[in-house]
Amino acid sequence: QKIANIQSHTNLFSMLNINSVTDPASLDTILYGVTEPTCQLACGPSMLANHVEHHNFASVNIHHHGFVKEWEVIPASMYLKAVQKMELLQSELTLPPLTGACELCLTHRNIFFPLDLLDVGGSRFNQEPGDIVIVHPSAIHTVKNHGQNLAESRNVLPLEFKNHVASYKTCKHWGTYGGEPLQLEMERLTRDLPITDFIHESDPFKEYKIKLLKQIQTGGNQKK
């Protein structure tokens, strides 16, 4: 019955009235959780490990019923620092025995790194039934379900923030798990973006890299 009652809430996404990169008209395809809301049913205590949304999308998450969802969110401004710390910690693990783990854990949501361990700042808060959580592009986050609950979510990204898509990193598994249709659409949508958008905003060396790119483009990298 609770699942059936969700239908009355799904209009919220259309009420947002946002022209989004994730709209079916933009992607020319239907992908649940991206172009359409998806239902998330936790059958007991569980965890969704550190990750960002596919292609740095934002997300809207609605808690409908059940136990608390506990969130840990790292701001996008600390994205690169967090990723570097996660890569360092993950390098100390023996990955082959870990089913599903790969060199870029943010795309697979399979390793949990507590905020205290990463030491990059961030927030921890609880989401109660009726609460709506909006996760910003590139915000690394985890979710702990304290028990059975029912939620709904969908990716969004206003068209004017399309540049956030460019700096998303894919792993060697990008063509599996249904990722290929979305990957191909994102390559099409980002084709006209300047190369500077492919350097993440949190990169402390972005300004230097942009200058270096300009030198290379103008032939300034040639030895005299």
Side-chain angles (χ1 to χ4, degrees), residues 107-125:
T107 62
H108 293 289
R109 311 170 185 179
N110 50 21
I111 301 180
F112 176 71
F113 300 92
L115 280 179
D116 298 341
L117 184 62
L118 293 175
D119 192 27
V120 293
S123 353
R124 183 182 290 111
F125 57 89

Side-chain angles (χ1 to χ4, degrees), residues 1-158:
Q1 182 63 38
K2 291 291 182 181
I3 294 177
N5 288 342
I6 275 192
Q7 186 62 40
S8 63
H9 294 276
T10 54
N11 286 336
L12 171 68
F13 293 98
S14 59
M15 288 168 58
L16 292 174
N17 196 27
I18 297 173
N19 291 321
S20 174
V21 170
T22 59
D23 288 342
S26 297
L27 295 181
D28 195 29
T29 187
I30 298 295
L31 295 169
Y32 290 101
V34 180
T35 62
E36 304 292 331
T38 184
C39 174
Q40 298 171 343
L41 178 62
C43 296
S46 56
M47 178 188 296
L48 191 60
N50 298 68
H51 67 285
V52 290
E53 298 301 308
H54 289 303
H55 300 279
N56 289 338
F57 297 145
S59 68
V60 179
N61 305 268
I62 309 169
H63 189 342
H64 288 293
H65 172 73
F67 283 82
V68 163
K69 300 174 80 72
E70 180 184 339
W71 292 72
E72 290 187 359
V73 182
I74 298 170
S77 60
M78 299 302 292
Y79 170 82
L80 192 60
K81 185 177 180 180
V83 168
Q84 291 171 341
K85 186 67 178 287
M86 291 166 68
E87 288 177 346
L88 177 63
L89 292 169
Q90 188 172 336
S91 68
E92 300 172 359
L93 299 175
T94 303
L95 288 180
L98 297 177
T99 303
C102 89
E103 77 284 358
L104 191 59
C105 61
L106 286 181
T107 62
H108 293 289
R109 311 170 185 179
N110 50 21
I111 301 180
F112 176 71
F113 300 92
L115 280 179
D116 298 341
L117 184 62
L118 293 175
D119 192 27
V120 293
S123 353
R124 183 182 290 111
F125 57 89
N126 290 338
Q127 183 186 21
E128 305 276 356
D131 291 345
I132 298 174
V133 173
I134 298 176
V135 179
H136 288 206
S138 297
I140 301 172
H141 54 285
T142 68
V143 183
K144 298 178 185 176
N145 297 301
H146 287 207
Q148 292 181 337
N149 60 37
L150 184 62
E152 179 184 14
S153 66
R154 187 200 154 182
N155 287 140
V156 294
L157 189 68

Side-chain angles (χ1 to χ4, degrees), residues 152-172:
E152 179 184 14
S153 66
R154 187 200 154 182
N155 287 140
V156 294
L157 189 68
L159 292 175
E160 58 265 35
F161 296 115
K162 184 173 68 171
N163 60 300
H164 287 283
V165 173
S167 60
Y168 180 74
K169 302 297 187 293
T170 57
C171 70
K172 62 188 177 184

